Amino acid sequence: MEEKKLDRNSIIGFVLIFGILIWIMYQNQPTEKQIAADKAKKELVQKQAEAQKVKAAAVTVVKDSTANDSTQLSALKATLGNFAYSATLPSAKENFTTIENDLIKITIANKGGFITEATLKNQERFKKGSGQLVSLIKDKNSDLNITLLTQDNRSLSTKDLFFEPTLTKVGENQVLTLHLNASANEFLEYKYVLKPNNYMLDFDIRSQGLSKVLNTSKPLDLEWNLKAYRNEKSISYENRYADIRYEYEGDKDSYTGQGKDKEETPEKVSFIAFKQHFFTSILLTKTPFEKSKLYSDNLVVNDQVDTLYTKQFKANVPLAFNNGELDYKMNWYFGPTDYKTLKAYDRNLDKIIPLGWGIFGWINKFIFIPLFGFLSSYIAYGIAIIIFTILIKIAMSPITYKSFLSQAKMKVLRPEITELGDKFKKDPMKKQQETMKLYNKAGVNPMAGCIPALIQIPFMYASFQFFPSAFELRQKSFLWADDLSSFDQVAKLPFHIPLYGDHISLFPILAAIAIFFYMKMTSGDQQMAAPQQEGMPDMSKIMKIMIYVSPIMMLIFFNSYGAGLSLYNFISNLITIGIMFVIKNYIVDPEKIHAQIQENKLKEPKKQGKFQQKLQAMMQEAEAQKAQQKKK
């Protein structure tokens, strides 16, 4: 018989399946909102112009050794007001203070009182591919500024003023106190406290005696800026997971998105995280910021070009006065975006890791993370991924068995279903009713094969969230992959292929081959089990197309993904093929299934479930309406 051409319904079915697969792969990428950033940029230019005036006066003090001269003081007074006093102190010069422990090195400038270097120390997984240690802050890529509004209508920027530093040690803690002085007893204070074996610093901002100097009728604006350095091999992959994450209104959390000119204005914010892929800079506060303006901009114009930065992050928050003074207890975190490390602080910081919402997040938190953490603490990471995959697939094997058993039962019933189709060819409604009766009489549930497959989808999607977020895989090698958190390049192409890239990764190729054979193995059984329904797409043709489309999608989209995820998919499909082979050839016996179905037919039919009863009632009602229309 001549094979039918691909009809419209088949095309629609194929498009729907293709769309579902695309959704699964890119669910973690939210839709970009078109938010104009012109206003924010204009405000920045205005602030820079105002700060330039202050900067000119402050620089004069550094260069002029006669800063205590009355003429010079008068000039400073005219520009800096009461804070001219700070500019006359010996500390009013470009100088830096370093505090460090075994995990992190922090350098803080006298000018501005903010952190100018934050470098992670002494671990291979904190290094870049070049061998350099990862620095979240260095070479002026970050600044912190408070705009001071004085009672005589001056607007001063703290980043252009000089603080007086005092470094002490309290027990094992290093304490750096910086004063921006209006007089000997009137000052703005920054206090940094670094504890041993800790990525987090205490950071307090308070004022003393400034109620007569500053305009305290409205909050001061604190602005934190950071241009995120590129740290990973694949800039497109790294940039996909770089954004601003924040907690607001108690325990809610959200993010700005990864595209250009992203802006959010949450209220009652308790932490702001400038999140890169595997490293994060976080500002936390025990007194939530009433309002905030968060801005993120994508700096990667062309991912084929070697780029220094990935994102520009900005946060603007108000510091409210309490009885005429500032008093904020805050913290800085500079460290890995590692689930266990962040969770240990008990400040909800693990929320910044995109593990998925709902059931996907639960699977990652309560199954994937504990299981993989246990395995990787005893064996190499590549082997841990393989054993992890085996255990997950073994746990899912009863569901795979149920799905295959249902297909086998449907395959046995196919001749009878085909016979009913021929008998009631002119009456589709009657055909559906009789088919349902046959299923009920034989004790077969046509939905039994779909439900197990649906149960497996959350685990598949959870893996798409887990492996890209697994900090443990960074800089860990396996076989030819020198970094399981990045792509496993085996060949460099002399040209760039759109969507694919300029290199060839081997694990995605192996995963694509495994998917091809798995779909080839199962598509025949599915086609035999599921008879063609009138008015429905021809699933046999769709499956034939998907046999080739799915591996191609794996090759294209996973070529620049982390090797750990591709390894997981390869082993997962390989194991599924093995499980299906064993079930098909050694566990499920079609003859026994046929005999059981025939025996079920002789028994009194089982009572229909609520869904089947409702479906049957709908069919009967439709049949009655059809008969009524014929009478008319």
Side-chain angles (χ1 to χ4, degrees):
M1 184 180 292
E2 184 179 352
E3 186 178 358
K4 293 181 181 180
K5 294 182 179 179
L6 191 65
D7 56 20
R8 186 181 67 176
N9 290 330
S10 298
I11 294 173
I12 292 173
F14 167 67
V15 171
L16 289 174
I17 292 174
F18 188 85
I20 290 171
L21 291 172
I22 293 294
W23 176 85
I24 290 174
M25 288 187 178
Y26 287 94
Q27 179 65 17
N28 58 323
Q29 296 185 357
T31 304
E32 295 188 359
K33 296 175 281 186
Q34 300 298 322
I35 302 174
D38 292 341
K39 184 178 178 181
K41 292 179 180 178
K42 287 180 181 178
E43 290 177 355
L44 179 61
V45 171
Q46 290 174 354
K47 289 182 179 179
Q48 289 175 339
E50 292 174 359
Q52 196 66 31
K53 298 177 182 178
V54 179
K55 184 176 180 181
V59 170
T60 302
V61 177
V62 177
K63 294 181 177 180
D64 194 342
S65 60
T66 62
N68 289 315
D69 182 82
S70 58
T71 303
Q72 181 67 34
L73 285 174
S74 297
L76 285 172
K77 193 80 172 179
T79 305
L80 303 181
N82 294 68
F83 290 100
Y85 174 81
S86 184
T88 65
L89 297 174
S91 59
K93 58 184 178 181
E94 291 279 3
N95 208 345
F96 305 90
T97 305
T98 297
I99 54 177
E100 60 184 310
N101 57 24
D102 292 339
L103 300 180
I104 189 169
K105 175 184 176 182
I106 300 291
T107 299
I108 299 161
N110 286 12
K111 187 177 180 181
F114 57 81
I115 296 172
T116 57
E117 181 184 351
T119 300
L120 305 180
K121 297 171 57 178
N122 300 333
Q123 293 197 45
E124 287 297 321
R125 60 180 181 167
F126 291 167
K127 291 183 178 180
K128 300 182 181 182
S130 62
Q132 294 180 327
L133 289 170
V134 169
S135 292
L136 299 180
I137 298 176
K138 69 173 183 178
D139 298 336
K140 300 181 180 180
N141 74 316
S142 177
D143 64 61
L144 183 78
N145 181 63
I146 298 177
T147 302
L148 304 175
L149 303 175
T150 66
Q151 290 194 355
D152 54 356
N153 296 321
R154 288 183 175 86
S155 178
L156 306 176
S157 295
T158 58
K159 67 179 181 179
D160 297 318
L161 303 177
F162 290 93
F163 287 70
E164 182 181 16
T166 302
L167 180 61
T168 59
K169 196 166 185 180
V170 180
E172 295 184 341
N173 301 337
Q174 299 170 70
V175 180
L176 176 62
T177 304
L178 299 107
H179 283 180
L180 176 61
N181 296 285
S183 71
N185 298 312
E186 297 173 327
F187 54 82
L188 175 69
E189 178 185 271
Y190 291 173
K191 185 164 80 170
Y192 298 87
V193 180
L194 181 62
K195 302 172 184 177
N197 197 35
N198 211 314
Y199 294 107
M200 188 176 288
L201 304 86
D202 293 342
F203 176 56
D204 298 344
I205 296 180
R206 76 180 186 92
S207 65
Q208 178 176 302
L210 294 184
S211 58
K212 296 179 181 179
V213 177
L214 299 179
N215 181 353
T216 60
S217 62
K218 59 181 180 179
L220 302 181
D221 287 335
L222 181 149
E223 185 175 300
W224 174 33
N225 301 315
L226 184 143
K227 289 173 71 174
Y229 282 113
R230 173 186 180 177
N231 294 313
E232 312 304 328
K233 184 163 59 175
S234 172
I235 191 168
S236 60
Y237 191 52
E238 178 180 9
N239 211 24
R240 187 178 296 129
Y241 297 98
D243 56 17
I244 299 179
R245 302 263 164 168
Y246 55 91
E247 184 181 60
Y248 66 106
E249 295 180 6
D251 59 354
K252 298 178 183 178
D253 63 282
S254 189
Y255 53 91
T256 56
Q258 291 89 16
K260 288 192 69 66
D261 295 332
K262 294 295 183 180
E263 186 175 302
E264 298 289 342
T265 55
E267 298 181 353
K268 297 189 182 301
V269 175
S270 48
F271 72 68
I272 300 167
F274 290 170
K275 177 184 173 295
Q276 298 165 247
H277 188 179
F278 287 121
F279 300 96
T280 302
S281 305
I282 310 175
L283 175 63
L284 305 93
T285 177
K286 294 180 180 178
T287 304
F289 304 122
E290 287 298 321
K291 295 180 180 179
S292 66
K293 181 186 291 186
L294 309 178
Y295 174 79
S296 172
D297 189 22
N298 182 23
L299 301 179
V300 181
V301 178
N302 185 351
D303 59 14
Q304 300 176 43
V305 178
D306 190 17
T307 307
L308 182 61
Y309 302 105
T310 57
K311 293 282 171 60
Q312 171 69 67
F313 296 133
K314 298 180 182 180
N316 191 292
V317 296
L319 298 181
F321 286 94
N322 185 11
N323 295 324
E325 300 290 356
L326 293 176
D327 189 9
Y328 273 82
K329 304 292 184 184
M330 297 187 283
N331 299 92
W332 289 110
Y333 173 89
F334 300 102
T337 312
D338 175 54
Y339 180 81
K340 292 180 181 177
T341 301
L342 293 171
K343 190 172 179 59
Y345 286 103
D346 197 24
R347 301 281 293 273
N348 296 329
L349 298 183
D350 53 293
K351 290 181 177 181
I352 73 171
I353 300 177
L355 296 176
W357 52 270
I359 189 172
F360 310 118
W362 299 338
I363 290 172
N364 277 322
K365 290 179 183 179
F366 303 117
I367 299 177
F368 283 9
I369 290 176
L371 178 59
F372 187 75
F374 173 78
L375 293 173
S376 60
S377 62
Y378 291 99
I379 53 180
Y381 284 90
I383 302 298
I385 291 175
I386 294 174
I387 296 177
F388 170 84
T389 311
I390 292 172
L391 293 176
I392 294 294
K393 297 306 292 185
I394 289 176
M396 300 293 289
S397 59
I399 297 175
T400 306
Y401 168 74
K402 287 284 186 182
S403 180
F404 188 84
L405 181 61
S406 177
Q407 291 178 18
K409 289 180 179 179
M410 294 291 291
K411 185 177 178 180
V412 169
L413 284 178
R414 184 181 173 93
E416 296 181 57
I417 295 173
T418 303
E419 185 180 335
L420 288 174
D422 294 337
K423 184 177 180 180
F424 301 102
K425 189 173 184 180
K426 296 182 179 180
D427 192 348
M429 186 63 66
K430 185 67 174 175
K431 173 185 151 184
Q432 291 287 350
Q433 291 176 340
E434 292 301 319
T435 301
M436 292 300 294
K437 287 180 181 178
L438 174 63
Y439 288 150
N440 188 46
K441 191 175 181 181
V444 175
N445 183 356
M447 297 298 294
C450 300
I451 294 174
L454 291 174
I455 293 175
Q456 295 184 68
I457 288 177
F459 285 83
M460 179 179 67
Y461 180 72
S463 71
F464 279 77
Q465 299 290 90
F466 170 71
F467 284 100
S469 300
F471 178 81
E472 307 97 302
L473 299 180
R474 190 176 188 277
Q475 299 295 334
K476 298 300 180 183
S477 61
F478 179 65
L479 298 178
W480 57 84
D482 56 5
D483 183 353
L484 285 168
S485 71
S486 189
F487 56 82
D488 57 310
Q489 176 180 312
V490 293
K492 181 74 173 178
L493 300 176
F495 47 83
H496 184 274
I497 302 175
L499 297 179
Y500 186 74
D502 59 357
H503 64 276
I504 297 174
S505 298
L506 185 52
F507 278 132
I509 295 175
L510 297 176
I513 293 172
I515 286 176
F516 174 80
F517 282 106
Y518 167 69
M519 297 196 71
K520 194 82 173 173
M521 179 181 182
T522 58
S523 61
D525 292 325
Q526 291 173 352
Q527 293 169 28
M528 288 293 293
Q532 173 66 24
Q533 299 291 327
E534 188 174 343
M536 296 296 289
D538 189 344
M539 293 304 296
S540 63
K541 292 181 180 179
I542 293 175
M543 288 304 299
K544 286 179 182 178
I545 295 172
M546 291 305 297
I547 287 174
Y548 300 97
V549 170
S550 296
I552 291 173
M553 289 173 62
M554 171 63 73
L555 283 174
I556 292 175
F557 294 115
F558 280 71
N559 191 57
S560 293
Y561 269 53
L565 179 59
S566 298
L567 174 60
Y568 171 83
N569 279 285
F570 168 55
I571 299 299
S572 178
N573 284 290
L574 208 61
I575 295 171
T576 303
I577 291 172
I579 291 174
M580 293 293 288
F581 179 82
V582 172
I583 291 174
K584 183 176 181 180
N585 292 279
Y586 298 101
I587 298 178
V588 173
D589 187 341
E591 293 183 1
K592 288 184 179 180
I593 291 174
H594 183 269
Q596 183 64 51
I597 287 176
Q598 299 307 316
E599 184 180 335
N600 290 343
K601 288 181 181 180
L602 300 176
K603 298 178 182 179
E604 185 177 344
K606 293 181 179 179
K607 185 179 179 181
Q608 291 183 335
K610 291 183 179 180
F611 174 78
Q612 291 177 313
Q613 290 175 4
K614 189 172 183 179
L615 185 62
Q616 186 74 15
M618 291 172 61
M619 289 181 178
Q620 291 174 353
E621 184 179 348
E623 187 69 21
Q625 290 176 355
K626 185 177 179 182
Q628 188 69 25
Q629 289 175 355
K630 285 183 178 179
K631 289 181 181 180
K632 294 180 179 179

